[in-house]
Amino acid sequence: MALDVRAFTAFERAAHDRIATAYAKHFAPLTALALKPLLDVAQITEGRQVLDVATGPGVAAAAAQARGAAVTGVDVAPGMVALAQRAYPKVEFKVAEVVALPFPDSAFDAVLCNFGLGHFPAPEVALAECVRVLAPGGVLAFSWWDQPVRQRVQGLFREAIAELGLPPPPEVPQGHDTMRFSDPEAFAGLLRGAALEGVQVVAHRTTYSMPNVEALWQAGMGGMAVTAAAIAAQDAATQSQAREVIARRAEAHRGPQGLEIPIAYFIGAGQKPSTSTS
């Protein structure tokens, strides 16, 4: 089924407006695990002009600003942008779609995206637009999740949805694969297709400590707009069943201090050719 790009963008905007506060509280700490390697590969240092696309609650933008960079963050969801601006008033934030960035050509030394890639309904168009605003010689660096078998927050929720046979919710436009770039070859191919040089996609693995299943539930329901929608659309009894399945499966990750959830992701990066005139 062909994806309705406008409908999917509208869903993403509405969903992330709705979960903005919960995302910042419960899910942003997971995405923050990638910040140091992401900013390192993007060569974020003092004085650099940096764009953070799909900025969400602004955590990556703020981390780049803390390194002395001049940072602008953009997001399709006004609620996320408002939350980010309140949290980080020294960073400039704008509401914008990644396929139509409101900036001139070659405006930034680096373009970042921390776990937004799988939410782009037209990733090739989005990458071309990011490269357009990147200065020749500048670096683009994106993070995205590994497969659910290794990225266990997504994995536990997806397995519960499959075990209970929950249907896709009607409000989520069909035809989009959030896990497309959980394949490092596909991720690298996207970057090369945007005419970037020196492309590398590096796997990272770590764990994230959660005190109990409630914390896991809040992270998943508050952070995974597409995946969690299949559970959120159910009645209270079915949601309770889903939580029980997640709790049972999460016991495999039980440690002395609670749950030690495996987290796995990729960081893909490349450089815009210095000879580019775009």
Short mmCIF file of all heavy atoms in Angstrom, two decimals, residues 18 161 166 169 171 217 221 224-236 239 242:
data_model
loop_
_atom_site.label_atom_id
_atom_site.label_comp_id
_atom_site.label_asym_id
_atom_site.label_seq_id
_atom_site.Cartn_x
_atom_site.Cartn_y
_atom_site.Cartn_z
N ARG A 18 0.47 15.50 21.20
CA ARG A 18 -0.24 14.87 22.31
C ARG A 18 0.71 14.29 23.35
O ARG A 18 0.46 14.38 24.56
CB ARG A 18 -1.16 13.78 21.78
CG ARG A 18 -2.04 13.12 22.83
CD ARG A 18 -2.96 12.07 22.24
NE ARG A 18 -2.22 10.93 21.67
CZ ARG A 18 -2.05 10.70 20.38
NH1 ARG A 18 -2.56 11.53 19.47
NH2 ARG A 18 -1.38 9.65 19.96
N ILE A 161 2.06 -6.69 21.06
CA ILE A 161 1.05 -6.41 20.03
C ILE A 161 0.82 -7.64 19.17
O ILE A 161 -0.31 -8.01 18.86
CB ILE A 161 1.50 -5.21 19.18
CG1 ILE A 161 1.43 -3.92 20.01
CG2 ILE A 161 0.66 -5.08 17.91
CD1 ILE A 161 2.17 -2.74 19.40
N LEU A 166 -3.19 -7.52 18.03
CA LEU A 166 -3.82 -6.20 17.96
C LEU A 166 -3.71 -5.64 16.55
O LEU A 166 -2.62 -5.63 15.96
CB LEU A 166 -3.18 -5.25 18.97
CG LEU A 166 -3.20 -5.71 20.43
CD1 LEU A 166 -2.61 -4.63 21.32
CD2 LEU A 166 -4.62 -6.06 20.87
N PRO A 169 -4.01 0.57 14.32
CA PRO A 169 -5.07 1.54 14.63
C PRO A 169 -5.47 2.31 13.38
O PRO A 169 -4.62 2.64 12.55
CB PRO A 169 -4.44 2.45 15.68
CG PRO A 169 -2.97 2.31 15.48
CD PRO A 169 -2.75 0.92 14.99
N GLU A 171 -6.20 5.32 12.84
CA GLU A 171 -5.69 6.68 12.67
C GLU A 171 -4.25 6.72 12.14
O GLU A 171 -3.75 7.79 11.79
CB GLU A 171 -5.77 7.47 13.98
CG GLU A 171 -4.81 7.02 15.07
CD GLU A 171 -5.40 5.95 15.97
OE1 GLU A 171 -6.36 5.27 15.57
OE2 GLU A 171 -4.91 5.81 17.11
N TRP A 217 6.54 0.86 30.82
CA TRP A 217 5.25 1.17 30.21
C TRP A 217 5.14 2.65 29.86
O TRP A 217 4.73 3.03 28.76
CB TRP A 217 4.14 0.75 31.16
CG TRP A 217 2.75 1.06 30.70
CD1 TRP A 217 1.96 2.09 31.10
CD2 TRP A 217 1.98 0.31 29.75
NE1 TRP A 217 0.73 2.05 30.48
CE2 TRP A 217 0.71 0.96 29.64
CE3 TRP A 217 2.21 -0.84 29.00
CZ2 TRP A 217 -0.29 0.51 28.80
CZ3 TRP A 217 1.21 -1.30 28.16
CH2 TRP A 217 -0.02 -0.64 28.06
N MET A 221 4.67 3.92 26.02
CA MET A 221 3.42 4.58 25.67
C MET A 221 3.61 6.08 25.48
O MET A 221 2.89 6.71 24.70
CB MET A 221 2.36 4.32 26.75
CG MET A 221 1.97 2.85 26.90
SD MET A 221 1.34 2.10 25.37
CE MET A 221 -0.21 3.01 25.17
N MET A 224 6.68 6.17 21.86
CA MET A 224 6.64 5.51 20.55
C MET A 224 5.29 5.77 19.88
O MET A 224 4.35 4.99 20.00
CB MET A 224 6.92 4.01 20.71
CG MET A 224 8.28 3.73 21.29
SD MET A 224 8.73 1.99 21.31
CE MET A 224 7.47 1.29 22.38
N ALA A 225 5.19 6.88 19.19
CA ALA A 225 3.91 7.33 18.66
C ALA A 225 3.27 6.31 17.74
O ALA A 225 2.06 6.06 17.82
CB ALA A 225 4.08 8.66 17.92
N VAL A 226 4.05 5.71 16.85
CA VAL A 226 3.48 4.77 15.88
C VAL A 226 3.23 3.41 16.52
O VAL A 226 2.12 2.88 16.49
CB VAL A 226 4.40 4.63 14.66
CG1 VAL A 226 3.83 3.61 13.67
CG2 VAL A 226 4.59 5.98 13.97
N THR A 227 4.27 2.84 17.14
CA THR A 227 4.14 1.49 17.72
C THR A 227 3.08 1.44 18.82
O THR A 227 2.21 0.56 18.82
CB THR A 227 5.50 1.03 18.28
OG1 THR A 227 6.45 1.01 17.22
CG2 THR A 227 5.39 -0.36 18.88
N ALA A 228 3.15 2.38 19.75
CA ALA A 228 2.24 2.34 20.89
C ALA A 228 0.80 2.65 20.52
O ALA A 228 -0.11 2.35 21.30
CB ALA A 228 2.71 3.31 21.97
N ALA A 229 0.58 3.22 19.34
CA ALA A 229 -0.79 3.55 18.93
C ALA A 229 -1.67 2.31 18.86
O ALA A 229 -2.88 2.37 19.11
CB ALA A 229 -0.77 4.27 17.58
N ALA A 230 -1.08 1.16 18.53
CA ALA A 230 -1.85 -0.08 18.45
C ALA A 230 -2.39 -0.49 19.81
O ALA A 230 -3.44 -1.14 19.91
CB ALA A 230 -1.00 -1.20 17.86
N ILE A 231 -1.69 -0.13 20.87
CA ILE A 231 -2.15 -0.42 22.24
C ILE A 231 -3.08 0.68 22.73
O ILE A 231 -4.13 0.42 23.32
CB ILE A 231 -0.95 -0.58 23.19
CG1 ILE A 231 -0.09 -1.78 22.77
CG2 ILE A 231 -1.43 -0.74 24.64
CD1 ILE A 231 1.19 -1.95 23.56
N ALA A 232 -2.69 1.93 22.47
CA ALA A 232 -3.48 3.07 22.95
C ALA A 232 -4.89 3.06 22.38
O ALA A 232 -5.82 3.58 23.01
CB ALA A 232 -2.78 4.38 22.59
N ALA A 233 -5.07 2.46 21.21
CA ALA A 233 -6.40 2.43 20.58
C ALA A 233 -7.34 1.41 21.22
O ALA A 233 -8.54 1.40 20.92
CB ALA A 233 -6.25 2.12 19.09
N GLN A 234 -6.84 0.55 22.10
CA GLN A 234 -7.64 -0.53 22.69
C GLN A 234 -8.39 -0.06 23.94
O GLN A 234 -8.07 0.98 24.52
CB GLN A 234 -6.73 -1.71 23.04
CG GLN A 234 -5.87 -2.19 21.90
CD GLN A 234 -6.66 -2.58 20.67
OE1 GLN A 234 -7.68 -3.27 20.78
NE2 GLN A 234 -6.22 -2.13 19.50
N ASP A 235 -9.36 -0.87 24.34
CA ASP A 235 -10.07 -0.57 25.58
C ASP A 235 -9.17 -0.85 26.78
O ASP A 235 -8.08 -1.42 26.65
CB ASP A 235 -11.38 -1.34 25.67
CG ASP A 235 -11.21 -2.86 25.62
OD1 ASP A 235 -10.14 -3.37 26.01
OD2 ASP A 235 -12.15 -3.54 25.17
N ALA A 236 -9.63 -0.46 27.95
CA ALA A 236 -8.80 -0.56 29.15
C ALA A 236 -8.40 -1.99 29.45
O ALA A 236 -7.27 -2.27 29.87
CB ALA A 236 -9.54 0.05 30.34
N GLN A 239 -5.64 -3.04 27.03
CA GLN A 239 -4.40 -2.37 27.40
C GLN A 239 -3.78 -3.05 28.61
O GLN A 239 -2.56 -3.20 28.69
CB GLN A 239 -4.66 -0.88 27.69
CG GLN A 239 -4.97 -0.06 26.46
CD GLN A 239 -4.96 1.43 26.73
OE1 GLN A 239 -4.20 1.92 27.56
NE2 GLN A 239 -5.81 2.17 26.03
N ALA A 242 -2.04 -6.12 27.47
CA ALA A 242 -0.78 -5.79 26.81
C ALA A 242 0.31 -5.50 27.84
O ALA A 242 1.45 -5.96 27.70
CB ALA A 242 -0.96 -4.58 25.89
#
